[in-house]
Amino acid sequence: MAESSRVEALRTALPQRRKTASLWADALYRLSRNKAAILGGVLVILLTLTAIFAKYIAPYPYDVQDRPNANSVPSWMLAVFPMMKSYAVVSDKFLLGADYVGRDMLSRLIYGTQISLSVAYVGPIIALLVGTIYGLVSGYFSRWVDNIMMRFVDLMYAFPSLLLIILMMAFFRSTFAQSEPGTFAYAMNKIDERFGGMLFIFIGIGLTAWMGTARLARGQVLSIREQDFVMAARAVGASHLRIIFRHIMPNILGPLVITVTLAIPGYITTEAFLSFIGLGVNPPTPSWGSMISDGSQAIRTYPPQAILPALALSITMFAFNFLGDGLRDALDPRLRGTQ
Amino acid sequence: MGRYIARRFLWTLVVLFVLSLVTFALEHAVPGGPFDREKKLPSEIIKNLEARYHLDEPYWKQYLRFLNDALIPRIAKGEPKSLLEESLIDIKLWDDYHLRWVNLGPSYSSRSRTVNDIIREQLPVSFQLGVAALTIAVLIGIPMGIIAGLKQNTIWDYLGMSIAIFGVSVPVIALGPILVWIFGVMLKWLPPTGWGAKPPYILFFIPKDLSWNFWRYVIMPAFALGLGQSAIIARLTRASLLQVIREDYIRTARAKGLPERLVVLRHALRNSLIPVVTVLGPMFAAVVTGTFVTEQIFGIPGLGKYFVVSVTNRDYPVIMGTILLYAIFLVLANLVVDITYAWLDPRIRYE
Amino acid sequence: MSKKWSLVAVVAVLAALVVTSCKPQVVEKTVVVTVPGEAKEIVVTATPAPVGRPNILRVNLGPGDVPTLDPALATDTSSVQVIDMLTVGLTRLDEVTLELKPGMAEKWEASEDGLTYTFYIRQGIPWVRWNGKEVEQVLDENGNPRMVTAHDFEYGIKRTCNPDTASDYAYVLGFAVKGCNELFNAENWGELTDEEKQALIDGVAAKALDDYTLQVTFTTPAVYNLNIIGMWVAHAMPKWIIEEKGDRWTEPGFNQSYGPYALKEWVHDSYITIVKNPFWPGIESSPQASIEEIKFTMLDASPAFAEYEAGNLDVAGVPLQDMDRVKADPVLSKELVIAPMACTYYYGFNTSKPPMDNVHLRRAFSLAIDRQGLIDNVLKGGQEPAQWFCRPGMAGCPTPDKYPDLGVKYDPEKAKAELKAYMDEMGYTDVSQIPEIILMFNTSEGHRRIAEAIAQMWKETLGIQVTVTNQEWKVYLKTLQEDSPHIWRLGWCMDYPDANNWTREVFAIGGHEENATQWRNEEFTKLLEQAALEKDPAKRQDMYAQAEQILVWEDAAIAPIYWYTRVTCTKPYVNRTFSQHGHEMFEKWSIQP
């Protein structure tokens, strides 16, 4: 029987229901509606582009020293920090001033995105990948699997990473420095140089960063494991793999993404700390961490030298966090189909 | 639960043993020794020094010696004749006999101290600072996270989270000197450096004098340290709360007619604290054993710098002592965290 | 009647003596006054002076706990600073003129061959300790105060040389005292019998002939022997407390000393307090102290300067980064003093590693360093550009006034000429043909700045881009000894203020940096060996000048960069001296009330 015209009229009048989409498409849609997240995403993309095209954007090279103009400040900065008037060299040559050997701060900040973003991407990616899977497995398969895996995490937490980093640095910089082209060691050394001597620091950070994510994931899994929908999935006969990745993981991603984005300044601070104690980047490669560490020594005399990279870091953090928040909101299955 | 705890303790010993092996291997693999100096010492002098500290023995013997000193209690007569014989635990028995246990060895850099001294005198300082910092972090972080979570996407949320992000992105390296400059040098309200307590302590870590004279030294460093941590706690609380608030049982509680305050505090908060507590465990262990940068900026005689300085000096006993100490704190903290899981979320079970 | 008067008179005289001999620190005084006509004692209390500044000096030693207060074991400046306040050596240096003065030895006589000296020890100087309330004399088992004797010095010297003590600086004493080397170099010390050990100990040629006469035999009749015998490693040490307390004898409460100050409190990693020793009578080179108490903090440079600006420290070094602000500040710039310090900063070359094995290239690099520019723009501490290695002011070292053209100075034209000479020799036409050169330093902020600046200078003047790299401290030290890079950096600070401690100990064959420089010059070494024995100061200085010329010009084994200075701010109410030798003589300081 043909539908009555009334029903037909209703159907055309009511808004079309969205087609049922996969979790990820749905998430993407919801993400696009979140203004703060868009802003964050745009900033992240801008920063990444800055890092990639630093050579073309930066007004000066990052290593040219203008020694007579060391520590110089542009005139507008004097208005912000009047206390520097009595001793600061004023020069409008550099937009954001110069560092202690006369290198342009702005250029160094731009080039610094390369190292700092690398740190920000590599560390958390390793942490997220390794940590999430590890925590999922550990929390799901309880009892002695969980026990052993968590004891290993305890071990890694207490691991003398500083020792390991020094050892790796010593090894790489002495042995690998004399290796023949074409060998693995030589390739590693070249990559290391490209990163300003930080390759193994990334490795070190990655090695020591996944445990937090693992414990977090595991804690979440323990909580979710007992919920009804998991029992239901099991009753239906879903395999362990399916349960873990299809059912449990989307539910734990929220706090995980947050922690990981929150941890980014931690990585950069670790890199700053390593510079502080003398194990950081090779000069003259700039990184925000080492710039903050350098600048903090002069913070009472030339505040901009520490404040500027800290500001750059804050902006990056805002970007990653809003994006991260948006991601979490978008990936929350409970909001699926709404909004 | 009791069996669970007992099994965890057993595992702890395994972890500590493996850790000590790994640390021992690493510290001897790293080039450079404790007696490499800017003014190169003649080889005979180095020989004498190595003989004193048994560094001329084969590695396995050194490791066994360390285990022997650290693990096996011994009974001896009279006071220890040299630093090498002292222990962390020294109980006087009858007749001038002493029971000595846990000797972590001397420090190679400081000729008048043992690792036992360093831990006994300076761990309490780091502990005091760490507990103060964490208290600030929790007292600021959790309420801020709750408010931001409940009032999602309002001005309170953005404001709270912006403060949190700022707190996390300005490292102590920069924040510390700023605080010192403003409150210590310009306003002179608080002492720029130093610590208000010195050994001996009550019950291992409580200072004898708990008046303002002590607290005035604690405020700035605890705040500098706690601000960053509070940001992490705030954001985690918020994220977790947002998730929990949407659960069915919360909806039920609201449907029952419970006031919002009870809904949040009694039902939502407990479950949303799981990630927070997870993070608090290692945070506690790390902060309580000392933080290098904070202690250096504020001139606090804590344990933090030994974690770094012992490595750069290749001071093997101090390296081992600090790593193992940190491990013990960590394992204990994680154990407490795991037990707290079961209390927070009754669905979590341990067999 | 007359008896009473004489009694009163005696009491009055005694009271007057007591009053006048007291230093004007205590503000309340009771005076016995005799009133003529009445045989009565009236006690008058003087009105207390207004409460001024406490007579306490607060100084910063530097970050990190003082490693030890045991004279036999000390090597670093913090330890030596405190030890030199607690005990005094046989000889003592004037810290400003670096002149050698009598210390605990009032006078000494040398034998014909100049090898054996007889020291006459001062009498009446007691050992003291802090008993919790005040400084008191140490009593022996019969209840008599212990005095410092020649036996204590003999014990101290032998203890330093003893392998059981495992002293780091025994080798410095070994340069001077005969028999010391044999003792700490003893083969298989652990397996010797007690008699054999005792024989070796007795072989150390320091003997107490009686309580106050010490006879020491030196290995060579070197000019610096008296310097070394006055160093902290040869101070008198209290045998009884060392044997009783073992390693713990330096702790407050047990620590015994005899010098201008005594140890009061030591909170590890936080501060050390020393207090004036009223039993120290004061000698010319070390007068009785004026300042009652000195508190040494252990802060890093930046926090220490913050404390200085807050008014909690009386003396502080100015951190490099704050230099500009301090120089421009109206108050601080007046308190700022730049004083010389006995250290040299230099870049060494590995003279066996191509291309650095060519002397023309080494000279080119050394000439191309704009030392003054570096000091003005990067270091900012008023340092002095170094033309040679040994720091002027050390005994025997040449000075720029007497030898203005000695050594090496910044000269870009000459540098380019040397570079051309090198390239012609090697047949290069372009600088890019020169193999890679590595400049290495140990990871630290300060060294990095200098390295970056100097690498830039080389690029600008010579067109050569060196690879700048760094290594962690201990790894770096090992690398220097085993396989040093083309160019490496080091500093040297004095142990005793004599050119021998500098040029010879570091660069002669068998010296500290022989492996790092791979440079062995027989003529140079022989010259220095003779200079050590040369008694005529003018001739001696000439010989060291010749040696320096070989070191930094003819062979150009190193490129000296600058001579250190200390930049300190001192509060205006502190009257102080500026020590040239690395640690201060606080007993000569005073505080205006």
Side-chain angles (χ1 to χ4, degrees):
Chain A
M1 179 137 122
E3 284 172 319
S4 69
S5 54
R6 203 142 161 258
V7 176
E8 238 183 76
L10 274 173
R11 189 177 287 154
T12 43
L14 286 171
Q16 292 289 347
R17 263 196 89 204
R18 271 186 291 121
K19 288 213 198 61
T20 310
S22 72
L23 172 67
W24 305 103
D26 187 44
L28 208 61
Y29 173 74
R30 276 190 285 139
L31 188 63
S32 60
R33 304 280 296 272
N34 184 340
K35 292 206 188 52
I38 297 284
L39 180 63
V42 165
L43 269 174
V44 169
I45 294 177
L46 274 179
L47 284 165
T48 315
L49 286 175
T50 313
I52 299 177
F53 296 109
K55 214 164 54 157
Y56 305 103
I57 303 179
Y60 296 92
Y62 62 79
D63 55 352
V64 164
Q65 302 175 7
D66 185 359
R67 280 187 302 281
N69 270 326
N71 292 319
S72 66
V73 285
S75 11
W76 64 265
M77 218 176 258
L78 274 184
V80 179
F81 295 105
M83 74 233 221
M84 293 199 289
K85 270 212 190 87
S86 55
Y87 52 83
V89 171
V90 182
S91 154
D92 281 320
K93 178 174 171 194
F94 304 117
L95 261 166
L96 289 178
D99 72 353
Y100 58 86
V101 275
R103 296 180 292 216
D104 180 29
M105 285 291 285
L106 179 60
S107 304
R108 283 180 72 79
L109 281 175
I110 291 176
Y111 277 100
T113 49
Q114 291 181 332
I115 299 277
S116 303
L117 278 186
S118 316
V119 169
Y121 283 135
V122 168
I125 288 179
I126 297 180
L128 198 56
L129 271 176
V130 175
T132 312
I133 297 178
Y134 196 95
L136 277 171
V137 170
S138 176
Y140 184 75
F141 296 109
S142 243
R143 264 191 276 176
W144 64 272
V145 170
D146 179 33
N147 213 6
I148 295 187
M149 291 182 87
M150 281 303 117
R151 293 317 117 232
F152 182 68
V153 164
D154 280 346
L155 181 71
M156 288 305 295
Y157 255 124
F159 195 81
S161 37
L162 196 58
L163 265 180
L164 183 65
I165 290 178
I166 293 183
L167 180 62
M168 289 173 76
M169 282 180 94
F171 199 54
F172 272 76
R173 283 183 183 173
S174 52
T175 330
F176 283 22
Q178 285 134 15
S179 50
E180 302 296 310
T183 62
F184 174 70
Y186 186 73
M188 292 294 268
N189 203 30
K190 281 280 163 258
I191 301 177
D192 182 42
E193 274 174 39
R194 186 67 191 83
F195 277 114
M198 291 211 48
L199 172 67
F200 41 81
I201 294 189
F202 292 156
I203 297 177
I205 291 179
L207 280 178
T208 53
W210 59 267
M211 294 94 64
T213 323
R215 271 194 72 83
L216 211 61
R218 172 203 177 244
Q220 297 284 85
V221 170
L222 284 180
S223 180
I224 294 192
R225 195 180 58 178
E226 310 297 332
Q227 287 194 13
D228 290 342
F229 71 89
V230 174
M231 219 191 318
R234 226 183 304 192
V236 169
S239 69
H240 284 308
L241 211 66
R242 191 175 161 82
I243 296 179
I244 291 178
F245 286 105
R246 188 80 161 72
H247 295 283
I248 298 187
M249 188 170 83
N251 281 295
I252 67 170
L253 274 182
L256 280 183
V257 165
I258 293 295
T259 330
V260 154
T261 51
L262 265 185
I264 290 175
Y267 298 127
I268 299 188
T269 312
T270 306
E271 188 247 304
F273 170 69
L274 288 174
S275 307
F276 194 66
I277 61 170
L279 293 175
V281 275
N282 262 337
T285 316
S287 76
W288 294 345
S290 62
M291 287 169 80
I292 295 179
S293 163
D294 290 351
S296 63
Q297 306 267 26
I299 211 161
R300 293 206 305 279
T301 308
Y302 295 109
Q305 288 184 16
I307 291 183
L308 284 172
L311 214 60
L313 184 53
S314 296
I315 295 176
T316 314
M317 277 315 301
F318 273 103
F320 275 111
N321 266 282
F322 282 137
L323 186 60
D325 262 353
L327 273 176
R328 190 202 51 78
D329 285 344
L331 288 171
D332 191 342
R334 261 168 292 252
L335 296 175
R336 202 178 154 185
T338 65
Q339 285 184 289
Chain B
M1 184 53 86
R3 274 206 318 170
Y4 177 71
I5 296 181
R7 263 188 301 130
R8 282 290 284 267
F9 267 123
L10 239 61
W11 275 109
T12 304
L13 293 175
V14 174
V15 166
L16 287 176
F17 179 66
V18 173
L19 189 61
S20 70
L21 259 177
V22 166
T23 310
F24 187 81
L26 269 180
E27 71 188 15
H28 288 279
V30 175
F35 309 119
D36 291 334
R37 301 272 163 75
E38 186 160 13
K39 296 187 180 179
K40 191 181 73 130
L41 293 176
S43 51
E44 304 84 19
I45 302 277
I46 297 186
K47 206 156 47 92
N48 288 335
L49 284 165
E50 290 186 348
R52 175 182 158 90
Y53 296 114
H54 306 292
L55 288 175
D56 47 359
E57 292 176 352
Y59 287 138
W60 60 265
K61 214 165 174 199
Q62 290 183 43
Y63 183 66
L64 285 181
R65 182 184 283 273
F66 164 73
L67 283 183
N68 182 16
D69 286 337
L71 295 178
I72 300 180
R74 44 177 55 95
I75 300 191
K77 194 166 163 78
E79 297 289 328
K81 263 296 144 192
S82 98
L83 279 186
L84 303 173
E85 293 169 21
E86 295 189 10
S87 311
L88 198 55
I89 302 173
D90 191 326
I91 305 173
K92 206 167 165 137
L93 303 171
W94 57 92
D95 228 20
D96 203 27
Y97 278 96
H98 290 251
L99 172 67
R100 287 201 257 272
W101 200 22
V102 187
N103 174 10
L104 291 170
S107 160
Y108 298 157
S109 333
S110 178
R111 293 292 293 259
S112 47
R113 299 183 83 196
T114 60
V115 182
N116 314 318
D117 290 330
I118 294 174
I119 292 180
R120 202 186 307 126
E121 289 170 13
Q122 300 185 245
L123 176 62
V125 173
S126 290
F127 194 86
Q128 291 158 11
L129 174 60
V131 167
L134 267 184
T135 312
I136 290 183
V138 165
L139 284 179
I140 296 182
I142 294 188
M144 196 155 76
I146 294 177
I147 296 176
L150 289 181
K151 299 200 191 315
Q152 191 189 11
N153 290 331
T154 63
I155 184 72
W156 296 110
D157 182 17
Y158 289 131
L159 195 64
M161 286 307 105
S162 301
I163 296 178
I165 293 175
F166 200 72
V168 138
S169 13
V170 180
V172 184
I173 293 182
L175 184 60
I178 293 179
L179 285 179
V180 167
W181 181 237
I182 299 178
F183 295 102
V185 181
M186 284 208 309
L187 293 172
K188 295 204 179 60
W189 287 352
L190 297 168
T193 66
W195 196 247
K198 54 183 195 228
Y201 298 102
I202 308 174
L203 265 188
F204 187 71
F205 60 87
I206 304 178
K208 286 208 176 122
D209 171 24
L210 277 173
S211 66
W212 173 242
N213 222 19
F214 169 69
W215 292 108
R216 55 199 280 255
Y217 288 97
V218 176
I219 294 179
M220 271 201 294
F223 195 72
L225 200 51
L227 194 64
Q229 321 285 35
S230 76
I232 299 177
I233 293 178
R235 282 195 63 80
L236 262 182
T237 311
R238 172 187 179 273
S240 185
L241 192 66
L242 284 177
Q243 194 154 336
V244 165
I245 283 270
R246 304 202 206 306
E247 297 258 351
D248 288 339
Y249 65 90
I250 298 294
R251 212 187 314 165
T252 315
R254 283 209 191 102
K256 276 201 293 185
L258 275 179
E260 189 66 15
R261 189 172 57 86
L262 265 180
V263 170
V264 168
L265 286 180
R266 206 194 296 166
H267 293 284
L269 195 59
R270 279 176 69 158
N271 282 333
S272 54
L273 278 184
I274 289 188
V276 177
V277 153
T278 310
V279 152
L280 268 180
M283 203 189 271
F284 178 78
V287 156
V288 140
T289 47
T291 39
F292 178 68
V293 174
T294 318
E295 289 175 7
Q296 188 183 61
I297 293 178
F298 290 97
I300 298 175
L303 205 52
K305 77 167 224 253
Y306 285 99
F307 282 88
V308 177
V309 160
S310 63
V311 172
T312 44
N313 283 342
R314 308 289 194 274
D315 197 338
Y316 301 140
V318 181
I319 296 179
M320 193 68 93
T322 48
I323 299 269
L324 290 179
L325 186 74
Y326 177 58
I328 292 177
F329 268 100
L330 196 62
V331 162
L332 282 177
N334 281 341
L335 180 58
V336 169
V337 163
D338 283 346
I339 294 176
T340 317
Y341 280 167
W343 176 69
L344 283 176
D345 187 343
R347 294 172 295 186
I348 297 179
R349 273 170 266 251
Y350 295 114
E351 286 88 43
Chain C
M1 203 55 154
S2 57
K3 244 200 190 159
K4 253 195 197 158
W5 273 110
S6 53
L7 184 63
V8 168
V10 164
V11 171
V13 165
L14 277 178
L17 276 174
V18 166
V19 165
T20 50
S21 65
C22 278
K23 281 261 167 30
Q25 305 293 1
V26 182
V27 293
E28 262 196 31
K29 243 172 231 51
T30 51
V31 174
V32 175
V33 164
T34 58
V35 176
E38 291 185 64
K40 201 161 63 156
E41 276 183 16
I42 302 176
V43 172
V44 172
T45 308
T47 40
V51 177
R53 210 181 305 276
N55 194 1
I56 300 179
L57 182 72
R58 299 155 302 179
V59 198
N60 188 43
L61 272 181
D65 193 21
V66 169
T68 177
L69 285 183
D70 187 334
L73 303 177
T75 58
D76 67 295
T77 40
S78 304
S79 309
V80 173
Q81 170 70 83
V82 183
I83 290 175
D84 237 13
M85 294 295 103
L86 301 179
T87 52
V88 174
L90 288 169
T91 59
R92 197 150 164 100
L93 289 173
D94 182 302
E95 76 275 21
V96 179
T97 62
L98 291 183
E99 246 181 276
L100 190 76
K101 295 258 172 72
M104 282 299 285
E106 296 182 295
K107 58 183 184 353
W108 50 83
E109 289 159 3
S111 66
E112 277 286 315
D113 55 4
L115 286 178
T116 307
Y117 276 69
T118 311
F119 295 93
Y120 296 96
I121 314 281
R122 275 174 222 275
Q123 309 192 15
I125 298 187
W127 284 95
V128 298
R129 57 179 274 264
W130 174 261
N131 68 2
K133 283 205 314 221
E134 58 184 7
V135 179
E136 68 173 19
Q137 296 184 54
V138 172
L139 305 175
D140 62 16
E141 55 274 342
N142 300 325
N144 300 322
R146 286 194 193 270
M147 293 295 165
V148 180
T149 64
H151 298 287
D152 300 328
F153 278 95
E154 178 188 345
Y155 174 72
I157 294 174
K158 289 186 173 163
R159 177 163 180 261
T160 300
C161 300
N162 193 322
D164 285 335
T165 317
S167 158
D168 291 38
Y169 263 20
Y171 75 93
V172 177
L173 205 51
F175 285 144
V177 178
K178 182 161 155 201
C180 189
N181 276 326
E182 286 79 9
L183 180 52
F184 73 77
N185 278 348
E187 293 279 331
N188 300 320
W189 172 260
E191 284 137 41
L192 296 178
T193 64
D194 283 341
E195 292 85 42
E196 289 171 325
K197 285 188 183 175
Q198 192 58 45
L200 278 171
I201 296 176
D202 289 335
V204 176
K207 217 157 103 67
L209 298 178
D210 61 45
D211 274 353
Y212 294 102
T213 319
L214 182 73
Q215 192 181 67
V216 180
T217 310
F218 294 112
T219 51
T220 62
V223 174
Y224 49 78
N225 283 333
L226 289 175
N227 267 322
I228 294 186
I229 205 68
M231 281 172 77
W232 59 92
V233 284
H235 283 191
M237 298 183 208
K239 173 172 171 160
W240 49 96
I241 193 77
I242 295 178
E243 289 184 347
E244 186 193 330
K245 287 291 169 192
D247 293 316
R248 288 282 179 204
W249 77 271
T250 50
E251 295 291 314
F254 306 140
N255 190 312
Q256 294 181 7
S257 56
Y258 54 90
Y261 283 94
L263 177 69
K264 177 181 169 190
E265 193 181 7
W266 186 2
V267 179
H268 288 277
D269 254 332
S270 199
Y271 61 89
I272 287 186
T273 311
I274 61 178
V275 79
K276 171 178 159 175
N277 172 13
F279 299 100
W280 172 252
I283 60 180
E284 193 217 329
S285 58
S286 180
Q288 206 182 49
S290 162
I291 299 179
E292 273 295 320
E293 201 173 293
I294 303 182
K295 181 173 174 184
F296 294 104
T297 53
M298 300 169 189
L299 297 168
D300 199 36
S302 276
F305 198 65
E307 285 281 29
Y308 179 84
E309 294 191 70
N312 299 328
L313 273 183
D314 302 312
V315 186
V318 180
L320 167 63
Q321 300 85 350
D322 290 315
M323 202 73 75
D324 292 337
R325 179 171 60 93
V326 171
K327 283 190 189 161
D329 184 290
V331 174
L332 291 175
S333 58
K334 292 210 184 60
E335 299 170 0
L336 175 77
V337 174
I338 297 181
M341 193 164 116
C343 296
T344 302
Y345 192 102
Y346 67 98
Y347 274 3
F349 299 113
N350 181 338
T351 58
S352 69
K353 228 185 214 179
M356 274 315 177
D357 53 348
N358 183 299
V359 67
H360 289 291
L361 190 61
R362 295 201 294 270
R363 281 198 207 136
F365 272 76
S366 187
L367 287 162
I369 302 178
D370 179 7
R371 293 162 175 84
Q372 192 61 52
L374 184 75
I375 292 169
D376 292 335
N377 294 325
V378 179
L379 296 171
K380 303 193 196 210
Q383 287 87 352
E384 302 160 47
Q387 290 172 223
W388 53 81
F389 178 64
C390 169
R391 209 226 192 276
M394 304 292 113
C397 265
T399 57
D401 342 310
K402 281 229 195 91
Y403 297 86
D405 294 315
L406 182 68
V408 62
K409 282 194 246 198
Y410 175 52
D411 194 330
E413 294 311 316
K414 243 195 194 159
K416 291 193 181 121
E418 289 285 346
L419 179 62
K420 185 154 185 318
Y422 165 71
M423 302 231 290
D424 291 341
E425 234 178 74
M426 303 297 289
Y428 293 147
T429 45
D430 187 82
V431 284
S432 57
Q433 294 171 289
I434 303 178
E436 188 193 19
I437 298 175
I438 297 181
L439 163 64
M440 199 187 284
F441 58 95
N442 54 296
T443 350
S444 128
E445 189 41 44
H447 303 318
R448 179 166 24 127
R449 297 177 180 211
I450 296 174
E452 289 177 319
I454 292 186
Q456 193 74 1
M457 289 174 194
W458 286 332
K459 186 160 176 204
E460 287 164 10
T461 306
L462 302 173
I464 303 178
Q465 173 83 49
V466 302
T467 312
V468 181
T469 176
N470 57 13
Q471 280 186 349
E472 191 258 347
W473 180 229
K474 293 277 183 171
V475 179
Y476 178 70
L477 287 176
K478 233 193 174 52
T479 306
L480 285 187
Q481 294 300 324
E482 288 174 3
D483 182 22
S484 65
H486 303 101
I487 314 176
W488 42 270
R489 76 109 327 237
L490 263 191
W492 177 266
C493 289
M494 80 157 215
D495 292 318
Y496 54 92
D498 190 289
N500 188 70
N501 180 231
W502 291 70
T503 328
R504 174 145 168 239
E505 279 189 32
V506 185
F507 296 115
I509 298 180
H512 289 278
E513 301 310 332
E514 180 186 340
N515 290 336
T517 55
Q518 293 293 308
W519 179 66
R520 295 168 187 93
N521 187 313
E522 299 265 352
E523 180 200 341
F524 177 77
T525 308
K526 263 208 207 33
L527 184 59
L528 290 171
E529 281 169 13
Q530 290 166 349
L533 309 173
E534 176 57 59
K535 294 267 191 304
D536 175 18
K539 257 214 215 139
R540 191 163 183 245
Q541 199 178 43
D542 238 11
M543 293 167 89
Y544 281 111
Q546 274 178 54
E548 292 285 350
Q549 191 69 2
I550 301 178
L551 177 64
V552 307
W553 180 253
E554 285 170 33
D555 281 1
I558 65 168
I561 301 188
Y562 67 87
W563 291 315
Y564 281 52
T565 50
R566 259 178 321 145
V567 187
T568 17
C569 275
T570 315
K571 292 284 183 206
Y573 49 80
V574 176
N575 301 323
R576 63 169 291 178
T577 60
F578 281 91
S579 163
Q580 294 251 23
H581 63 43
H583 54 272
E584 302 293 339
M585 297 288 160
F586 292 109
E587 67 266 35
K588 297 189 185 171
W589 294 26
S590 64
I591 294 183
Q592 287 164 23

